[in-house]
Amino acid sequence: MKIVDGLTLVASLQFGLGGPLDCHVYALRGENGLVLVDAGAGHPVEPLLENVKKEIPGETVAALLLTHGHLDHCGGASQIREACGCKVVAPAICQQVLESADEAAIGLVRAREQGIYPADYKLRPCPVDQCVSDGETFTVAGIQFTALHVRGHSPDSFCYYTQMHSEKWLFAGDVVFYGGVLGVINADGSGMEGYRKDLPKLRELGIDGLFPGHGIFTLRGGQRHIDCAIRRLEEGFLGRQIGQGDVLF
Ligand SMILES: [Zn+2]
């Protein structure tokens, strides 16, 4: 699904694209190929790969950029790397877990027990070709990104900032969503402390396009949604959080 020139949504459980467990997977067109932001769950991976081929013909995936080590975001990484020959770029803090396919560390053991993931779902180990850390600016496929480590949803959560068509875009993973909703979940490593410490890093970035890992995205006024969440925290309140309704988002 084309969002705007150079940006396509190639998987999303909410929009019914890709596999049924996939987060939003965005494909950005750079000078030297495509950059996928997140990998989806890879259960299965073929619908995502077919969407890339069909929606962005003639382009190859040069890099896969991961926001954090949750299954719906990174589970398909090894299969995409194999199928596309792309490099995997991930937060350094995720490297060991991804390369060893540590299912307990990634929350999969518990998530399988909760019925979120099927009993036959297994995480495949995925080599990380390039590690990034907080504040680092790096270029993949000709697109420059800045990595921002924002804990709260998970200890390894990163957002990626880039400029495209003179607009400022933030790929927010599960850190902050449309409406200033935060990604706090009832899982080890998730909590408000990380948000209190790190969410202010997203202040005054002048974000136009806010592209989270789930739910609504926007091309305009993205900073308003981020600022709304920061303001609530500063006022001493919890703010809105995911999972408050019967249906996620
Ligand atoms: Zn997550």
Side-chain angles (χ1 to χ4, degrees):
M1 186 172 91
K2 179 180 165 182
I3 298 173
V4 70
D5 210 20
L7 180 66
T8 303
L9 190 68
V10 292
S12 159
L13 66 93
Q14 277 101 5
F15 286 102
L17 297 169
L21 301 170
D22 290 347
C23 68
H24 288 357
V25 177
Y26 299 96
L28 289 99
R29 199 176 56 234
E31 281 170 20
N32 309 314
L34 301 174
V35 177
L36 296 187
V37 178
D38 279 330
H43 193 76
V45 76
E46 287 77 14
L48 180 158
L49 295 172
E50 279 160 24
N51 280 344
V52 172
K53 232 187 256 171
K54 199 175 64 194
E55 303 260 336
I56 322 159
E59 293 280 354
T60 53
V61 178
L64 169 59
L65 182 55
L66 299 175
T67 59
H68 65 298
H70 282 161
L71 264 298
D72 52 336
H73 293 255
C74 73
S78 70
Q79 297 172 84
I80 292 172
R81 185 177 182 273
E82 247 175 70
C84 304
C86 63
K87 72 172 176 178
V88 171
V89 183
I93 193 171
C94 293
Q95 182 179 18
Q96 203 263 332
V97 164
L98 293 171
E99 293 191 339
S100 64
D102 187 338
E103 295 192 343
I106 223 160
L108 177 56
V109 174
R110 183 156 183 263
R112 264 196 309 247
E113 286 165 8
Q114 291 170 320
I116 298 169
Y117 291 97
D120 65 345
Y121 186 98
K122 294 267 180 292
L123 178 63
R124 303 176 192 212
C126 179
V128 174
D129 304 285
Q130 184 179 341
C131 287
V132 295
S133 39
D134 186 35
E136 184 177 339
T137 294
F138 59 97
T139 301
V140 280
I143 305 173
Q144 189 180 79
F145 294 92
T146 299
L148 295 161
H149 188 193
V150 184
R151 295 164 294 181
H153 172 68
S154 67
D156 62 355
S157 276
F158 271 62
C159 298
Y160 296 105
Y161 168 90
T162 190
Q163 288 197 33
M164 192 72 77
H165 313 306
S166 324
E167 303 273 292
K168 295 172 178 177
W169 289 358
L170 189 76
F171 292 89
D174 287 350
V175 168
V176 59
F177 300 94
Y178 189 92
V181 172
L182 297 178
V184 185
I185 55 172
N186 181 20
D188 290 345
S190 188
M192 295 309 297
E193 190 178 353
Y195 277 115
R196 278 198 301 276
K197 287 180 173 157
D198 290 345
L199 197 63
K201 289 180 191 175
L202 303 182
R203 194 200 301 271
E204 290 176 10
L205 295 179
I207 297 300
D208 302 298
L210 178 65
F211 303 103
H214 303 276
I216 302 171
F217 50 79
T218 182
L219 287 158
R220 192 177 297 153
Q223 190 68 45
R224 285 175 51 226
H225 303 271
I226 299 165
D227 288 347
C228 163
I230 294 173
R231 205 163 45 243
R232 294 291 289 171
L233 290 189
E234 287 179 347
E235 287 167 349
F237 297 108
L238 291 178
R240 298 176 65 209
Q241 295 163 31
I242 53 168
Q244 300 298 303
D246 292 339
V247 178
L248 193 61
F249 303 102

